């Protein structure tokens, strides 16, 4: 699929089939598109413009549409964070600002939960490593990741996560 609305900043359509990208994170997709369009010399200014436009679109969408969490997710997250024997962190392929917009809109309390995002790195495996470091102690009996994409499964397998 292509999104026609993406042409306002880049002058090109962007595939919305995330499996087509080497690194299906916000930064990874943008980097690949910039490279494919041979716009490397303007990478920083393009990235700033795209990110600003993207965040504006998300904010606008969320003011008009209700965001609902996956049923049971807020309660599950609250139970995990309340446990003394579990460390919780979030690793998202989205930029930090968009992740926070979405979490707030879905009324998911992420207070005190470290978050690593595409703002930290463009590769999902590296984002997961950063989240793990931010969670604290590195002496875990096991590591479990909950995700929603094939890239999450690939990263979890590469890192030895459940």
């Amino acid at each position: 699929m292509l999104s026609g609305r993406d042409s306002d900043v880049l002058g090109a359509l962007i595939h919305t089939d995330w499996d087509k990208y080497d690194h299906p994170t916000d930064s990874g997709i943008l980097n690949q598109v910039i490279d494919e369009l041979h716009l490397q010399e303007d990478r920083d200014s393009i990235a700033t413009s795209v990110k600003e436009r993207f965040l504006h679109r998300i904010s606008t969408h969320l003011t008009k549409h209700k965001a609902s969490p996956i049923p049971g997710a807020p309660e599950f997250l609250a139970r995990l964070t309340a446990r003394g024997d579990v460390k919780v962190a979030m690793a998202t392929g989205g930029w930090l600002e968009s992740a926070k917009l979405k979490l707030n809109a879905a009324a998911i309390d992420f207070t005190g939960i470290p978050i690593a995002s595409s703002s930290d790195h463009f590769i999902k495996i590296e984002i997961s490593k950063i989240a793990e470091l931010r969670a604290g102690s590195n002496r875990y009996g096991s590591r479990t990741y909950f995700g929603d994409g094939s890239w999450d499964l690939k990263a979890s397998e590469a890192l030895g996560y459940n």
Side-chain angles (χ1 to χ4, degrees), residues 2-82:
L2 295 173
S3 175
R5 297 179 300 171
D6 299 316
S7 62
D8 59 346
V9 175
L10 293 168
L13 299 176
I14 296 178
H15 282 276
T16 56
D17 178 357
W18 309 137
D19 286 319
K20 292 189 178 289
Y21 294 99
D22 296 333
H23 302 289
T25 64
D26 288 352
S27 295
I29 291 168
L30 183 56
N31 280 334
Q32 186 171 334
V33 170
I34 288 171
D35 288 346
E36 289 172 357
L37 295 173
H38 307 290
L39 299 171
Q40 294 89 334
E41 65 280 349
D42 295 323
R43 185 180 308 276
D44 291 342
S45 63
I46 290 170
T48 298
S49 295
V50 168
K51 187 174 179 180
E52 287 173 0
R53 184 72 180 124
F54 183 71
L55 293 172
H56 174 74
R57 285 185 181 156
I58 289 174
S59 294
T60 301
H61 181 83
L62 291 173
T63 60
K64 297 175 184 174
H65 305 286
K66 184 178 185 321
S68 299
I70 294 170
E75 297 81 7
F76 180 65
L77 187 58
R79 284 162 126 175
L80 285 177
T81 57

Side-chain angles (χ1 to χ4, degrees), residues 82-120:
R83 292 181 58 139
D85 61 339
V86 172
K87 297 282 186 182
V88 176
M90 293 185 183
T92 177
W95 284 306
L96 180 61
E97 299 88 343
S98 58
K100 287 182 175 182
L101 283 170
K102 293 172 189 179
L103 288 165
N104 283 323
I108 294 178
D109 182 11
F110 57 97
T111 306
I113 298 174
I115 302 174
S117 70
S118 188
S119 299
D120 297 305

